[in-house]
C-alpha cells in the first residue's frame, strides 16, 4: 500500500514542493494549511500561486493545527506526518508572543494529544525544526575548546561591537554547529521551535511513532513569500531592488547565515520521512557554508544585472544572532545526501523566478517601524 502523507503547513514554500516530491514517488498527500494572509494574500483561492500549485497534487484542507477537528480530518489515513505548520519570523515573534506560542507549541501539543488518545495509522513524524534553537551556535577557543556563547549584549551592539564574545575567553573562532551543540535560542520563535522538537522527540516514541527532527538553516529559492516582510532577506532585498529603493544593511554587513536551496531541503525532508535509517534522528539541513549579508547583496546585484544604493547603518535587532553554520556530516552519513546547490546558482534561479512575479508593496518599512516602536530595532 502506498504511503499516505499529511503535510501540515503544506501550502507553503517548502510544503508545496515537498508534496510534489511525495506524489512523484507514488505517495498520496493531504495538506492542512491555515492559508494565512501574511503568506498567501487576502484571497488565497485567487491570489496564492502556492495553493494553485497543489491542484491535482494533494487534497487541501483549509484549517489550523490549533483545531483538533481540523487535525483529526487531516490525519485520516495518514501514516507519515511532516509537521511544517508554524508562525515564522524572529523579529515578529518578540512582540506577537501569544500567537507564536499558540500556533507553534499549542498546535504541536494538540497534534500529539490527538495521536496519543485516538486510534491512528501514523508511524513516522518529521518536525521542521530550526537553526534558531542553537542561538549563536559553536565557537572554538584559541586552545581548541568548543564554547557556546550567550546572546549578544544590547550595550555592546549599541557601541558598534557586533562580534560574539564568550565570558572569560579571548578571541573565539566560528565553527560549524553540530546537532549535539548546546540549545539556547535567543528569540521567542527559537524557543517555540525548540519546544516543538522536544515535544515530538519525547512523546512520539511512547505512542509508536518514529520521530525525526530537521533543523533547517535559511531556506530560499523560487516560490518563497515575497509578501511576508518578517522572513527572508532575499525576498526583502529583491523587492527593494525592483522598486529602485535603498537597501538598509543592518550591523556591519558581516553577519552571516547558512543559506540552503529549496530543492536540497525538499530532498532532505523526503529522505527523513521515508528512509529507515532516519528513525529517531536529528539532522541539520544546510549548505555548511557561511554567506554574509554583504555577499547576499552582491549576489543579488549580479543576478538582477542592476544595483541600488546600499547603506550600512549599524542598526540591529534584539534577538538576532550574528552567525550560524551547520555541520551537515550527519545528513551526509545517515541520509546519504549532501546539498549541492551553490549560493550563486541558487540566487540566479531565485531571481529568474522573482522577475516573473509582480512587484510587491512596501510592507518592509512597516515591519521595521513596528519593531522600532517596541524598542526591538535599534
Amino acid at each position: 500500500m502506498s504511503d499516505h502523507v499529511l503535510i501540515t503547513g503544506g501550502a507553503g514554500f517548502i510544503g508545496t514542493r515537498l508534496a510534489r516530491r511525495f506524489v512523484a514517488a507514488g505517495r498520496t498527500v493531504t495538506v492542512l494549511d491555515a492559508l494565512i494572509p501574511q503568506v498567501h494574500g487576502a484571497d488565497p483561492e485567487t491570489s496564492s500561486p502556492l495553493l494553485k500549485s497543489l491542484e491535482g497534487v494533494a487534497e487541501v484542507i483549509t484549517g489550523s493545527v490549533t483545531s483538533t477537528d481540523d487535525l483529526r480530518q487531516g490525519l485520516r489515513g495518514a501514516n507519515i506526518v511532516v509537521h511544517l505548520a508554524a508562525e515564522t519570523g524572529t523579529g515578529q515573534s518578540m512582540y506577537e508572543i501569544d500567537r507564536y506560542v499558540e500556533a507553534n507549541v499549542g498546535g504541536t501539543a494538540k497534534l500529539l494529544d490527538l495521536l496519543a488518545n485516538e486510534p491512528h495509522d501514523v508511524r513516522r513524524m518529521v518536525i521542521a525544526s530550526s537553526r534558531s534553537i542553537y542561538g549563536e551556535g559553536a565557537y572554538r577557543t584559541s586552545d581548541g575548546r568548543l564554547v557556546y556563547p550567550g546572546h549578544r549584549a544590547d550595550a555592546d551592539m549599541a557601541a558598534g561591537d557586533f562580534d560574539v564574545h564568550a565570558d572569560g575567553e579571548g578571541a573565539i573562532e566560528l565553527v560549524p554547529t553540530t546537532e549535539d551543540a548546546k540549545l539556547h535560542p535567543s528569540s521567542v520563535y527559537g524557543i517555540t521551535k525548540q519546544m516543538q522538537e522536544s515535544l515530538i522527540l519525547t512523546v512520539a516514541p511512547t505512542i509508536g511513532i518514529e520521530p525525526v527532527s530537521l533543523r533547517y538553516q535559511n531556506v530560499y529559492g523560487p516560490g518563497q513569500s515575497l509578501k511576508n516582510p518578517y522572513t527572508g532577506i532575499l525576498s526583502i532585498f529583491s523587492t527593494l531592488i525592483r522598486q529602485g529603493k535603498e537597501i538598509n544593511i543592518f550591523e556591519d554587513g558581516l553577519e552571516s547565515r547558512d543559506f540552503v536551496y529549496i530543492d536540497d531541503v525538499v530532498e532532505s525532508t523526503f529522505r527523513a520521512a521515508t528512509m529507515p535509517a532516519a528513525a529517531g534522528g536529528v539532522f541539520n539541513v544546510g549548505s555548511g557554508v557561511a554567506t554574509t549579508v554583504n555577499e547576499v547583496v552582491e549576489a543579488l546585484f549580479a543576478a538582477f544585472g542592476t544595483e541600488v544604493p546600499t547603506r550600512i547603518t549599524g542598526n540591529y535587532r534584539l534577538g538576532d544572532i550574528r552567525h550560524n553554520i551547520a555541520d551537515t556530516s550527519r545528513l551526509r552519513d545517515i541520509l546519504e545526501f549532501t546539498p549541492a546547490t551553490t549560493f550563486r546558482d541558487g540566487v540566479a534561479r531565485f531571481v529568474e523566478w522573482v522577475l516573473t512575479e509582480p512587484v510587491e508593496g512596501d510592507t518592509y518599512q512597516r515591519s521595521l517601524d513596528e519593531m522600532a516602536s517596541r524598542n526591538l530595532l535599534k
Side-chain angles (χ1 to χ4, degrees), residues 266-290:
V266 166
E267 184 59 27
S268 298
T269 307
F270 176 80
R271 289 173 180 242
T274 58
M275 290 180 65
V282 176
F283 302 91
N284 287 331
V285 178
S287 67
V289 177

Side-chain angles (χ1 to χ4, degrees), residues 89-102:
T90 298
Q92 190 181 39
S93 78
M94 299 296 284
Y95 57 88
E96 296 202 16
I97 300 161
D98 183 62
R99 182 163 73 92
Y100 273 71
V101 173
E102 180 184 15

